[in-house]
Amino acid sequence: TINMKKLNVIIIHENTLISLGLAKIMNEMFNTKVTIEHNLNRSPNLEEFDLIFLSVNTFALYHAQLNGPKYKIILISDSLNTIDNIDSYISSQWSEEAIITQINNKINTLTEIKTAQNELSKREIEVLKLIVLGKLNKEIADELNISFNTVLTHRKNITSKLGIKSASGLSVYAMMNGLI
């Protein structure tokens, strides 16, 4: 297991065998609590889950309605073909070892993201949100009732902690992590 904390996982797939097989892998190889649903309409609040497995069909149907961080999602494909522009997917055609490796990589990425988020103070997150909204440093200072130099310090700390220097990079980070 990677984490000591039990991962809260949901599998949303039309195929019962795929869902049960994936649940078995998650229970045997990782410290998880698994919920299985067959469609997104009946599923609980997805923000409660650390990791969300979705069939490609479900993702295609409900993509616009999916709230919360997209970085938590792993798509389940039924083919061996790669999915363009998606790095978080598994195929029901892959070997068990390949599936476990991909899930392991995703959990490591989630752990890194959570660690980075935990490193940001509440004030730094507030500043980050305003940066993403396109506010200038002076506007951020006025809105948060802090000095201009304090805004600069927060910006420096944010970029240092996240390793992201550009406003567009910070925007992508904030969107992928459900901060905006």
Side-chain angles (χ1 to χ4, degrees), residues 2 7 22 25-26 29-30 51 53 71-77 81-83 85-92 94-110:
I2 296 170
L7 286 175
L22 186 54
I25 290 172
M26 293 306 296
M29 301 303 298
F30 303 96
L51 194 55
F53 289 94
Y71 69 88
K72 293 179 173 186
I73 296 173
I74 294 181
L75 295 181
I76 304 167
S77 170
N81 299 332
T82 58
I83 303 172
N85 302 321
I86 303 285
D87 60 352
S88 292
Y89 73 94
I90 57 176
S91 171
S92 60
W94 288 357
S95 69
E96 184 176 3
E97 184 180 310
I99 291 170
I100 290 168
T101 299
Q102 182 75 336
I103 294 169
N104 199 17
N105 291 341
K106 184 65 165 185
I107 292 172
N108 284 334
T109 302
L110 288 171

Side-chain angles (χ1 to χ4, degrees), residues 85 106 122 150 159 178:
N85 302 321
K106 184 65 165 185
K122 287 183 181 179
T150 302
T159 58

Side-chain angles (χ1 to χ4, degrees), residues 66-165:
L66 291 172
N67 294 333
K70 305 281 189 280
Y71 69 88
K72 293 179 173 186
I73 296 173
I74 294 181
L75 295 181
I76 304 167
S77 170
D78 293 331
S79 79
L80 280 171
N81 299 332
T82 58
I83 303 172
D84 292 338
N85 302 321
I86 303 285
D87 60 352
S88 292
Y89 73 94
I90 57 176
S91 171
S92 60
Q93 306 289 314
W94 288 357
S95 69
E96 184 176 3
E97 184 180 310
I99 291 170
I100 290 168
T101 299
Q102 182 75 336
I103 294 169
N104 199 17
N105 291 341
K106 184 65 165 185
I107 292 172
N108 284 334
T109 302
L110 288 171
T111 303
E112 289 169 15
I113 290 169
K114 283 193 183 253
T115 302
Q117 282 181 333
N118 291 340
E119 288 178 4
L120 290 181
S121 70
K122 287 183 181 179
R123 183 60 98 181
E124 288 167 342
I125 291 172
E126 290 174 345
V127 170
L128 174 60
K129 288 178 180 179
L130 294 172
I131 291 168
V132 169
L133 292 174
K135 302 273 185 175
L136 301 173
N137 291 336
K138 174 78 174 109
E139 294 172 315
I140 294 170
D142 292 344
E143 189 163 328
L144 297 178
N145 212 13
I146 56 178
S147 76
F148 180 83
N149 287 334
T150 302
V151 173
L152 294 179
T153 300
H154 284 312
R155 283 187 81 122
K156 184 178 79 102
N157 290 341
I158 291 165
T159 58
S160 171
K161 288 177 181 181
L162 299 179
I164 302 170
K165 294 183 180 13

